[in-house]
């Protein structure tokens, strides 16, 4: 049988296309196996370094040698951090987690900390040989958890979509935790460790170039940016003087943007998970970088514009209070970033409430509400306030009849909840919560500069940010870019702190408010309060849970002295480091100047 030329050409094209697809498939499979093989080899290298560190710790008392072994071991960990944190988060917590107890408040128990950060506290600033047994035990704990990591990594499939997701998370980890000194507060090895993390990103992305054309171009740009960032870390490795705002805007942001472009070019799917960070955001500073729906109780509570419109009207409704005299706006003034500038608001009976009114702006980007974190979501928060005898002394169910009869309200409820024939209590709570979820503008002077929308940012403001994320250690609790206690890079957990807030400015006595301890009787929670957002902080004075400080300068002075312990109070469970920060007047002014740039546009005069 004879084939004409057109048939032969078609068959040839089909064969060529099939061959290309087979080659691409093989390349992907090869890349996946190579990444896994290298990762396992790096884990084994870390195990070797950990073994050496253990042997040294068992017989050596020379501090410099121990510190050197510690530094080399953790650098080896930083090379694989992207994978350990992503694929095996449980053992990761006990390899390089914070040197604080892991609290299980629902079960009224805690897990003591383990790993590199505990070892750092043993070795820095000075090592007492009496702690040798503890040091060796911690090293052994790292080894045990590394064994779990190796077993898990050896059996999972490490596909491109997971690798890319882990890389993006690692960029945000370096930005928010790495260069801020979160996991190296005493040794201050953050900059060399960031360099290692960037090298890993460069190595990983270079293995994923399998399409050519625009894909190859993006890979080259990412690799070049990582290499340049690595060089910058090499030549600017001092923790105190490191220019973080330059590093983020010139290196980390471009790397992240190109990673998103690479993902889109190669049609690499997003990982289907309840991610707080929008997978399509080009940087973590984008207006749409954070998804408020990640913090809702369940799917029916999804955020919509119709719910916001209803919630805004309900927010000013006096009928929620027992005597019809109070609404949410009575304490949360929209013109004052939803605070009231009072040390303590007046109770329904005419006395003073125990705590300061916090801002509701950005409150939706937390998974704990109130100073004492007693409610997990905004729906329960609104109900809690309405029922509180000192605040409103009302009941949501009591207003349902009125809302069903009011034509304007009923129409708004139909628009917000079209599948429902009658107004229900959960809908009222959801509408109020949805309005609060709409209060995240992300349009401050800081935001615009970080997104590259404006070049207007003074040297003093830049210095303030660098101090905030460096010497002053503010960003180790108020995490970038939310500047609250919601922990990066997953942003799915909100932290509390014990800072030893005084009762009065004379610093003679700690505040008698026990905070979270009232709900959970654990010693670690005495005087523990949620870490609030610092966005709009310049217009939300006074500060702290009891409004004890009237200015940002007073707040900084308190931290500069080392918190409660630093000013002479007895705070046995203080989680804030009691060391002095040694900030001078110029640096304090710069910090204030920076925090003033966190004010949303609508509040700037």
């Amino acid at each position: 049988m004879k084939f004409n030329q057109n048939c032969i050409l078609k068959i040839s094209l089909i064969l060529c296309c099939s061959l290309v697809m087979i080659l691409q498939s093989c390349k992907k499979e090869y890349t996946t196996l190579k990444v896994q093989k290298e990762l396992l080899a790096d884990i084994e290298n870390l195990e070797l370094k950990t073994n050496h560190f253990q042997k040294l710790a068992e017989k050596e008392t020379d501090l410099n040698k121990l510190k050197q072994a510690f530094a080399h071991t953790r650098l080896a960990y930083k090379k694989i951090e992207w994978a350990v944190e992503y694929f095996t988060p449980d053992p990761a917590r006990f390899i390089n987690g914070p040197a604080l107890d892991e609290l299980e408040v629902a079960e009224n128990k805690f897990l003591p900390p383990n790993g590199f950060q505990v070892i750092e506290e043993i070795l820095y600033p000075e090592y007492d040989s009496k702690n040798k047994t503890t040091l060796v035990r911690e090293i052994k704990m790292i080894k045990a958890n590394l064994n779990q990591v190796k077993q898990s990594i050896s059996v999972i499939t490490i596909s491109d979509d997971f690798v890319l997701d882990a890389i993006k998370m690692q960029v945000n980890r370096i930005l928010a935790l790495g260069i801020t000194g979160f996991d190296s507060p005493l040794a201050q090895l953050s900059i060399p460790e960031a360099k290692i993390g960037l090298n890993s990103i460069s190595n990983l992305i270079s293995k994923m170039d399998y399409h050519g054309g625009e894909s190859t171009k993006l890979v080259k740009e990412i690799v070049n940016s990582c290499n340049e960032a690595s060089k910058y870390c090499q030549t600017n490795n001092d923790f105190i003087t490191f220019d973080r705002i330059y590093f983020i805007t010139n290196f980390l942001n471009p790397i992240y943007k190109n990673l998103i472009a690479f993902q889109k070019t190669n049609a690499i799917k997003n990982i289907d998970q309840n991610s707080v960070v929008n997978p399509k955001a080009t940087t973590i500073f984008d207006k749409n970088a954070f998804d408020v729906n990640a913090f809702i109780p369940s799917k029916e509570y999804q955020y919509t514009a119709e719910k916001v419109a209803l919630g805004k009207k309900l927010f000013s409704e006096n009928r929620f209070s027992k005597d019809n005299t109070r609404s949410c706006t009575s304490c949360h003034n929209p013109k004052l970033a939803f605070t009231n500038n009072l040390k303590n608001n007046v109770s329904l009976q005419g006395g003073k409430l125990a705590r300061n009114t916090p801002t509701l702006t950005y409150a939706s980007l937390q998974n704990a509400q109130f100073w004492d974190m007693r409610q997990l979501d905004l729906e329960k928060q609104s109900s809690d306030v309405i029922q509180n005898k000192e605040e409103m002394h009302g009941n949501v169910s009591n207003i349902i009849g009125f809302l069903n009869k009011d034509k304007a309200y009923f129409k708004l409820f139909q628009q917000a909840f079209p599948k429902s024939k009658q107004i229900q209590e959960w809908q009222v709570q959801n509408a109020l919560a949805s309005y609060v979820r709409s209060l995240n503008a992300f349009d401050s002077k800081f935001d615009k500069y970080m997104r590259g929308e404006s070049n207007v940012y003074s040297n003093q403001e830049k210095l303030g940010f660098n101090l905030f994320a460096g010497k002053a250690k503010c960003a180790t609790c108020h995490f970038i870019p939310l500047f609250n206690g919601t922990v990066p890079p997953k942003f799915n957990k909100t932290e509390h702190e014990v800072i030893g807030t005084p009762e009065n400015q004379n610093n003679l006595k700690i505040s008698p408010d026990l905070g979270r301890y009232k709900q959970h009787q654990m010693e670690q929670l005495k005087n523990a309060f949620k870490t609030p957002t610092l966005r709009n902080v310049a217009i939300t004075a006074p500060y702290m849970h009891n409004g004890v400080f009237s200015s940002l300068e007073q707040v900084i002075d308190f931290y500069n002295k080392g918190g409660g312990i630093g000013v002479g109070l007895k705070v046995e469970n203080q989680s804030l480091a009691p060391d002095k920060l040694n900030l001078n007047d110029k640096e304090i002014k710069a910090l204030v100047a920076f925090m003033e740039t966190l004010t949303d546009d609508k509040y700037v005069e």
Side-chain angles (χ1 to χ4, degrees), residues 73-99:
T73 307
R74 193 157 70 174
L75 283 172
Y77 171 74
K78 287 293 176 176
K79 188 176 182 181
I80 62 172
E81 181 182 43
W82 68 273
V84 178
E85 291 281 353
Y86 189 85
F87 294 111
T88 57
D90 290 334
R93 166 67 182 82
F94 295 101
I95 293 174
N96 194 44

Side-chain angles (χ1 to χ4, degrees), residues 42-72:
D42 288 335
I43 293 172
E44 289 179 3
N45 178 55
L46 175 54
E47 286 181 319
L48 289 173
K49 283 185 165 48
T50 308
N51 285 331
H52 171 71
F53 187 21
Q54 180 186 332
K55 290 177 182 178
L56 198 66
E58 287 172 341
K59 64 179 181 179
E60 187 61 67
T61 57
D62 186 290
L63 180 58
N64 289 330
K65 289 182 179 180
L66 289 170
K67 284 182 176 180
Q68 188 178 50
F70 166 76
H72 288 166

Side-chain angles (χ1 to χ4, degrees), residues 317-604:
E317 179 56 66
N318 286 332
R319 289 176 182 266
F320 283 120
S321 64
K322 185 178 181 181
D323 57 4
N324 296 338
T325 60
R326 281 196 170 187
S327 69
C328 302
T329 58
S330 300
C331 293
H332 298 280
N333 187 339
K335 293 181 180 179
L336 299 173
F338 294 84
T339 61
N340 54 25
N341 289 163
L342 299 174
K343 181 179 180 181
N344 303 92
N345 203 16
V346 179
S347 72
L348 206 59
Q349 296 78 23
K352 286 187 176 181
L353 294 174
R355 293 172 183 163
N356 177 254
T357 301
T359 180
L360 293 183
T361 59
Y362 304 93
S364 60
L365 299 173
Q366 304 166 334
N367 59 5
Q369 303 299 327
F370 296 106
W371 282 106
D372 56 17
M373 304 172 72
R374 65 182 180 269
Q375 298 293 1
L376 298 180
D377 55 67
L378 288 167
E379 276 75 12
K380 294 184 183 69
Q381 183 261 358
S382 63
S383 180
D384 190 306
V385 171
I386 291 168
Q387 294 176 13
N388 189 296
K389 291 182 180 181
E390 291 188 311
E391 296 185 61
M392 299 182 84
H393 202 185
N395 194 306
V396 176
S397 60
N398 293 341
I399 199 176
I400 298 296
F402 160 74
L403 294 174
N404 273 308
K405 293 176 183 177
D406 187 283
K407 291 182 179 179
Y409 267 125
F410 192 76
K411 183 179 179 180
L412 286 172
F413 269 97
Q414 283 186 317
Q415 292 170 347
F417 304 95
K419 294 182 180 180
S420 181
K421 294 181 179 180
Q422 276 209 322
I423 298 171
Q424 300 176 55
E425 188 173 337
W426 75 269
Q427 295 170 342
V428 176
Q429 296 169 347
N430 186 213
L432 284 167
S434 296
Y435 176 55
V436 176
R437 292 184 179 112
S438 74
L439 305 179
N440 309 328
F442 290 107
D443 63 359
S444 68
K445 185 178 183 180
F446 169 79
D447 293 308
K448 292 173 184 175
Y449 181 79
M450 298 305 284
R451 288 196 293 264
E453 296 172 2
S454 170
N455 290 322
V456 181
Y457 217 68
S458 70
N459 289 333
Q460 185 186 43
E461 290 162 347
K462 291 177 183 177
L463 172 62
F465 175 82
N466 283 327
L467 288 163
F468 185 94
K471 179 182 177 180
K473 301 181 180 179
C474 312
T476 59
C477 294
H478 297 274
F479 302 110
I480 303 167
L482 298 179
F483 300 101
N484 64 13
T486 306
V487 187
K490 292 182 179 179
F491 296 96
N492 58 3
K493 177 185 176 183
T494 300
E495 287 191 342
H496 65 258
E497 296 291 341
V498 179
I499 62 173
T501 306
E503 184 178 27
N504 299 300
Q505 288 186 27
N506 59 21
N507 294 330
L508 296 179
K509 185 180 178 183
I510 192 170
S511 167
D513 191 334
L514 294 179
R516 295 197 74 188
Y517 186 79
K518 290 183 178 180
Q519 279 73 46
H520 307 282
Q521 278 70 53
M522 302 173 70
E523 289 298 311
Q524 298 93 330
L525 293 178
K526 282 187 176 179
N527 306 105
F529 296 92
K530 182 179 69 175
T531 304
T533 184
L534 296 186
R535 285 181 171 271
N536 296 312
V537 70
I539 60 168
T540 57
Y543 306 108
M544 305 301 184
H545 70 273
N546 55 355
V548 65
F549 299 128
S550 58
S551 71
L552 288 173
E553 287 82 0
Q554 289 176 352
V555 175
I556 295 171
D557 178 67
F558 175 72
Y559 283 111
N560 199 22
K561 291 174 179 174
I565 293 177
V567 299
L569 301 179
K570 186 178 181 181
V571 194
E572 294 179 354
N573 62 329
Q574 182 169 307
S575 57
L576 174 73
D579 309 305
K580 291 182 179 180
L581 297 174
N582 298 314
L583 299 169
N584 58 40
D585 289 342
K586 178 185 176 182
E587 291 171 330
I588 291 172
K589 288 177 182 178
L591 270 172
V592 173
F594 158 67
M595 285 189 276
E596 288 173 345
T597 70
L598 296 177
T599 304
D600 291 337
D601 254 3
K602 67 183 294 183
Y603 304 119
V604 178

Side-chain angles (χ1 to χ4, degrees), residues 237-386:
N237 59 12
D238 182 75
F239 179 81
I240 301 297
T241 60
F242 188 75
D243 192 341
R244 291 161 178 83
I245 200 164
Y246 176 85
F247 186 73
I248 293 170
T249 54
N250 286 273
F251 299 120
L252 296 186
N253 281 354
I255 289 170
Y256 200 91
K257 286 179 181 179
N258 282 327
L259 285 170
I260 297 297
F262 174 82
Q263 181 176 10
K264 185 177 180 181
T265 299
N266 293 292
I268 299 174
K269 67 180 181 179
N270 291 313
I271 302 302
D272 185 19
Q273 58 181 351
N274 188 30
S275 175
V276 180
V277 179
N278 180 353
K280 296 181 181 179
T282 57
T283 77
I284 206 169
F285 300 100
D286 283 11
K287 265 197 170 190
N288 68 338
F290 293 90
D291 182 9
V292 291
N293 283 324
F295 295 93
I296 61 174
S298 55
K299 287 184 178 179
E300 63 267 29
Y301 292 88
Q302 290 266 346
Y303 176 93
T304 67
E306 291 77 13
K307 290 180 180 179
V308 172
L310 170 60
K312 185 175 182 179
K313 184 173 175 64
L314 289 170
F315 200 78
S316 300
E317 179 56 66
N318 286 332
R319 289 176 182 266
F320 283 120
S321 64
K322 185 178 181 181
D323 57 4
N324 296 338
T325 60
R326 281 196 170 187
S327 69
C328 302
T329 58
S330 300
C331 293
H332 298 280
N333 187 339
K335 293 181 180 179
L336 299 173
F338 294 84
T339 61
N340 54 25
N341 289 163
L342 299 174
K343 181 179 180 181
N344 303 92
N345 203 16
V346 179
S347 72
L348 206 59
Q349 296 78 23
K352 286 187 176 181
L353 294 174
R355 293 172 183 163
N356 177 254
T357 301
T359 180
L360 293 183
T361 59
Y362 304 93
S364 60
L365 299 173
Q366 304 166 334
N367 59 5
Q369 303 299 327
F370 296 106
W371 282 106
D372 56 17
M373 304 172 72
R374 65 182 180 269
Q375 298 293 1
L376 298 180
D377 55 67
L378 288 167
E379 276 75 12
K380 294 184 183 69
Q381 183 261 358
S382 63
S383 180
D384 190 306
V385 171
I386 291 168

Side-chain angles (χ1 to χ4, degrees), residues 190-215:
S190 302
I191 310 308
E193 290 176 354
K195 176 180 180 293
I196 297 298
L198 288 160
N199 290 344
S200 292
I201 292 171
S202 175
N203 177 52
L204 286 164
I205 200 69
S206 64
K207 289 181 173 60
M208 295 178 68
D209 181 17
Y210 47 78
H211 279 171
E214 181 65 18
S215 178

